[in-house]
Amino acid sequence: MSSTLLEVTRAAHEEMERLERLIVKDLQTDPTTNKDRLFQSHRVRNMIDTITVTTEKLIDIYEDKDSARKDEIAALGGQTATGTNVFSAFYDRLKEIREYHRKHPAARVVDANEDYEALLKEEPVIEFSGEEAMGRYLDMHELYNQYINSKFGEPIEYSAYLDVFSEPDKIPRKLKFTRQYKEYMENLLEYLIYFFQRTEPLQDLDRIFSKVVTDFEEQWENFQDTPLEKLDKKHFTKSSWGLEHNGLAAPPQEVNNSKDIALMEAKMRKLCDLLDETIVRTKENVEKKQALTYEEMEAEREEEETQVDTESDDEDQQIYNPLKLPMGWDGKPIPYWLYKLHGLGQEFKCEICGNYSYWGRRAFERHFKEWRHQHGMRCLGIPNTKNFNEITSIEEAKELWKRIQERQGVNKWRPDLEEEYEDQEGNIYNKKTYTDLQRQGLI
């Protein structure tokens, strides 16, 4: 039965009310472990996002820019182009309902409460690396490597880096105007935001950053309005201080670059304040690992695995998986909506990988950078570049490599280097060398 605009409005309000009740019911349950807390927070976050999307749809309906809602209300009152006829509108609607039930005699009433209650048992998929341990620790090894291999960094231990990464003031100002430092700050801020969103999904990061930006803009304006004589030289580079001191303006590009970097540093400091406990816990964990022997680390890992297995033993005894869905990181079948979203039922075969099968578009695209495909390309004598992405056939790869070589002139005949000559003593030379020796009278 076709839903009217008013029916869509009513259903949207009902959905929002059900989700609000579910949020209250979920938050009334105190999680016992960090894993349960994360699952609860992400469930509530997903329901809030659904409410937000539904609210935006309702706003569009109530604004009624195309007057569709107004016309529908008028039609319910029997108002037509020829006049008002309430009975005609009633019987038209009755006829439509009867026609629907005649075509769908087996239709049954669906209890929406069951579907919504299932949301409380859902375990959202949260991507954490092994080092992050379900959000307990930070995994900053890539940023650490970027730091120690840069001009602005210094060769220090990973545990020492966890102390200094949140203090950019210790880095000389002249080194902050390099592209290398800006890329490092962008990567650092991106990781901290991503980690914070995964561990604290109910926090409004936009509102937090809005306050940071407001305070930063106020301080920046005060800094700009302060006379140059009262400013410390450390706030300027040598070139900009000389220009400003002589009454000339600093280059706008340098000023804008300085402002962008300073704003990123302000946001990074705020995130470090919010993640202070996690940073301390990460450092303690790193120092603890450094003090343990290999045998002690293995024993501790086995103890943690045994504890996890004991806690989830009852759940793992009976795994109901009639659709044969892939198993998630927790050893349970992934949700069916996630299975459909990532297209895990779609198979991609790669001849270069030995006809290995990849399930889902994401895994297929990612495999071009993995060891199996790289090994196959090396066996073919072909470099694994972006030109060969999406190519899984050996013949196609060889043909493309041949065209690239011809375009680059690799297979072009070069007589001066490849044509061979032999002297009386049987020595072999290329044409260019042979000609030069002959001119000198050495042959």
Side-chain angles (χ1 to χ4, degrees):
M1 186 167 57
S2 60
S3 296
T4 63
L5 196 60
L6 294 178
E7 174 60 22
V8 171
T9 305
R10 185 207 61 77
H13 280 290
E14 181 184 7
E15 181 184 16
M16 290 169 56
E17 291 178 3
R18 288 182 185 275
L19 291 174
E20 288 172 359
R21 294 193 191 99
L22 286 176
I23 290 174
V24 174
K25 187 175 181 179
D26 202 353
L27 292 177
Q28 286 176 342
T29 305
D30 293 330
T32 56
T33 63
N34 179 61
K35 179 180 176 181
D36 293 336
R37 183 192 67 82
L38 280 175
F39 284 165
Q40 183 189 74
S41 299
H42 279 272
R43 279 197 303 267
V44 173
R45 178 77 262 173
N46 292 338
M47 287 188 280
I48 291 175
D49 291 340
T50 303
I51 291 175
T52 303
V53 173
T54 306
T55 303
E56 292 174 353
K57 293 180 180 178
L58 284 174
I59 291 174
D60 292 338
I61 292 175
Y62 283 121
E63 286 180 351
D64 200 20
K65 295 180 180 179
D66 57 355
S67 300
R69 183 170 179 270
K70 180 180 178 181
D71 294 341
E72 190 170 312
I73 294 174
L76 286 176
Q79 297 181 14
T80 61
T82 58
T84 304
N85 191 338
V86 178
F87 294 102
S88 176
F90 171 79
Y91 284 111
D92 288 342
R93 181 61 176 161
L94 179 61
K95 180 181 178 182
E96 181 183 350
I97 295 173
R98 286 177 173 172
E99 184 67 19
Y100 172 81
H101 286 286
R102 186 184 63 81
K103 292 181 179 179
H104 305 85
R108 62 183 182 87
V109 178
V110 179
D111 188 2
N113 289 325
E114 295 180 0
D115 295 335
Y116 282 97
E117 288 293 335
L119 293 175
L120 295 177
K121 301 177 182 179
E122 183 183 1
E123 296 184 353
V125 178
I126 314 170
E127 294 183 356
F128 285 109
S129 66
E131 186 73 18
E132 290 173 333
M134 285 299 293
R136 288 183 55 81
Y137 312 115
L138 292 167
D139 183 5
M140 305 189 68
H141 287 86
E142 291 187 9
L143 294 163
Y144 164 69
N145 291 329
Q146 190 176 353
Y147 176 83
I148 62 175
N149 293 311
S150 63
K151 294 182 180 179
F152 59 83
E154 52 183 343
I156 58 177
E157 295 292 334
Y158 180 63
S159 58
Y161 171 73
L162 295 174
D163 285 330
V164 302
F165 83 89
S166 59
E167 300 174 355
D169 294 336
K170 294 184 178 180
I171 299 175
R173 185 175 177 81
K174 62 181 180 180
L175 298 177
K176 293 185 178 183
F177 291 98
T178 61
R179 179 184 298 177
Q180 193 179 40
Y181 179 76
K182 187 174 183 181
E183 291 178 355
Y184 166 75
M185 282 303 304
E186 289 174 349
N187 295 336
L188 176 59
L189 185 61
E190 181 181 0
Y191 173 74
L192 292 177
I193 291 174
Y194 182 48
F195 183 86
F196 186 78
Q197 289 174 338
R198 287 178 292 161
T199 55
E200 299 293 338
L202 296 182
Q203 292 281 356
D204 190 351
L205 194 57
D206 292 336
R207 181 180 59 83
I208 295 173
F209 277 167
S210 177
K211 180 70 167 55
V212 172
V213 173
T214 301
D215 295 341
F216 173 80
E217 291 291 346
E218 183 178 349
Q219 294 176 6
W220 185 266
E221 289 297 327
N222 294 335
F223 174 79
Q224 296 287 62
D225 295 338
T226 305
L228 293 176
E229 293 75 11
K230 295 183 180 181
L231 289 175
D232 194 342
K233 289 184 179 181
K234 68 180 181 180
H235 295 301
F236 299 87
T237 61
K238 291 182 179 180
S239 58
S240 62
W241 169 257
L243 291 172
E244 295 283 359
H245 196 65
N246 293 328
L248 300 175
Q253 184 177 1
E254 183 173 335
V255 174
N256 293 334
N257 191 34
S258 174
K259 185 177 180 180
D260 293 340
I261 293 175
L263 180 57
M264 284 192 291
E265 291 178 348
K267 291 181 177 180
M268 186 269 292
R269 290 192 192 94
K270 183 62 179 179
L271 285 171
C272 289
D273 291 340
L274 297 172
L275 296 171
D276 182 61
E277 294 183 4
T278 306
I279 296 173
V280 173
R281 191 162 54 240
T282 303
K283 185 182 177 184
E284 292 175 350
N285 183 56
V286 172
E287 293 175 347
K288 179 182 176 181
K289 286 184 176 180
Q290 291 175 343
L292 295 176
T293 63
Y294 175 76
E295 291 76 11
E296 291 173 335
M297 291 175 63
E298 284 295 309
E300 184 177 353
R301 181 182 62 81
E302 291 178 0
E303 182 180 353
E304 290 178 355
E305 290 179 354
T306 303
Q307 183 178 1
V308 172
D309 292 340
T310 303
E311 291 176 353
S312 59
D313 185 51
D314 295 336
E315 298 177 359
D316 293 338
Q317 287 180 356
Q318 295 181 350
I319 298 179
Y320 182 67
N321 189 15
L323 298 178
K324 297 182 180 181
L325 300 174
M327 295 297 176
W329 59 269
D330 56 354
K332 297 180 181 180
I334 65 173
Y336 183 71
W337 64 266
L338 185 65
Y339 175 83
K340 296 293 290 183
L341 177 65
H342 291 292
L344 298 181
Q346 189 176 7
E347 182 183 12
F348 296 89
K349 282 192 175 183
C350 181
E351 187 181 2
I352 298 174
C353 297
N355 288 324
Y356 192 87
S357 295
Y358 297 92
W359 295 92
R361 183 70 190 177
R362 183 179 180 184
F364 173 71
E365 292 177 350
R366 190 170 51 198
H367 99 278
F368 288 103
K369 298 180 181 179
E370 294 176 348
W371 67 269
R372 182 179 284 106
H373 192 84
Q374 291 176 351
H375 176 71
M377 295 293 283
R378 281 196 298 270
C379 292
L380 295 175
I382 302 174
N384 189 27
T385 62
K386 292 183 179 179
N387 295 326
F388 296 90
N389 279 5
E390 301 293 329
I391 293 181
T392 58
S393 171
I394 294 177
E395 290 299 324
E396 289 184 14
K398 288 182 177 179
E399 290 177 5
L400 178 58
W401 176 234
K402 184 178 180 181
R403 290 198 299 270
I404 292 175
Q405 287 180 316
E406 291 175 354
R407 187 165 60 249
Q408 294 177 349
V410 175
N411 295 331
K412 186 178 180 180
W413 169 253
R414 293 171 295 179
D416 57 334
L417 298 178
E418 299 179 8
E419 188 174 355
E420 296 181 347
Y421 287 79
E422 182 179 356
D423 61 6
Q424 296 178 352
E425 297 178 358
N427 298 317
I428 303 298
Y429 305 96
N430 59 34
K431 181 178 180 181
K432 183 176 183 301
T433 305
Y434 183 85
T435 305
D436 291 341
L437 294 175
Q438 196 175 40
R439 288 173 181 171
Q440 298 174 20
L442 298 177
I443 298 179

